[in-house]
């Protein structure tokens, strides 16, 4: 397993997101978010291929999760911008 290293910027963004979730939805939702981040970190560590070149863009609905896009990160990022706008 590889060690996952968060950049200071990514770490700051994650904590800002956690704080927003806590302030907006409460401590339970924040704890659930943090647990999901920890689990994703473990998944990436044990199988980096999953996240290495691909991103799954999804929307969490009340009763299901909709996969909105599957992005190959080796593509031109400008293509993603034009795709979602």
């Amino acid at each position: 397993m590889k060690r996952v290293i968060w950049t200071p910027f990514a770490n700051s963004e994650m904590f800002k997101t956690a704080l927003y979730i806590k302030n907006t939805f409460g401590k339970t939702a924040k704890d659930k978010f943090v647990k999901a981040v920890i689990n994703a970190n473990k998944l990436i560590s044990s199988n980096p291929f999953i996240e290495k070149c691909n991103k799954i863009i999804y929307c969490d609905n009340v009763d299901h999760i909709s996969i909105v896009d599957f992005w190959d990160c080796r593509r031109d990022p400008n293509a993603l911008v034009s795709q979602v706008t």
Side-chain angles (χ1 to χ4, degrees):
M1 286 184 17
K2 290 183 179 179
R3 184 168 61 120
V4 177
I5 300 171
W6 287 63
T7 64
F9 176 77
N11 198 45
S12 173
E13 290 298 303
M14 191 277 295
F15 278 107
K16 282 194 258 181
T17 302
L19 182 61
Y20 168 79
I21 290 170
K22 180 181 176 187
N23 291 338
T24 306
F25 303 107
K27 184 181 180 313
T28 302
K30 188 269 302 179
D31 291 344
K32 188 175 178 181
F33 167 76
V34 170
K35 185 175 181 179
V37 170
I38 291 168
N39 288 336
N41 215 49
K42 289 177 185 175
L43 180 62
I44 292 166
S45 176
S46 64
N47 192 354
F49 177 74
I50 292 173
E51 295 292 328
K52 188 173 184 179
C53 297
N54 303 297
K55 300 290 181 213
I56 296 174
I57 302 167
Y58 65 92
C59 181
D60 189 2
N61 298 294
V62 173
D63 60 342
H64 68 282
I65 295 172
S66 298
I67 305 298
V68 179
D69 198 0
F70 183 87
W71 182 256
D72 181 343
C73 295
R74 295 167 290 192
R75 292 174 57 189
D76 178 1
N78 292 323
L80 178 60
V81 172
S82 65
Q83 189 171 312
V84 296
T85 56

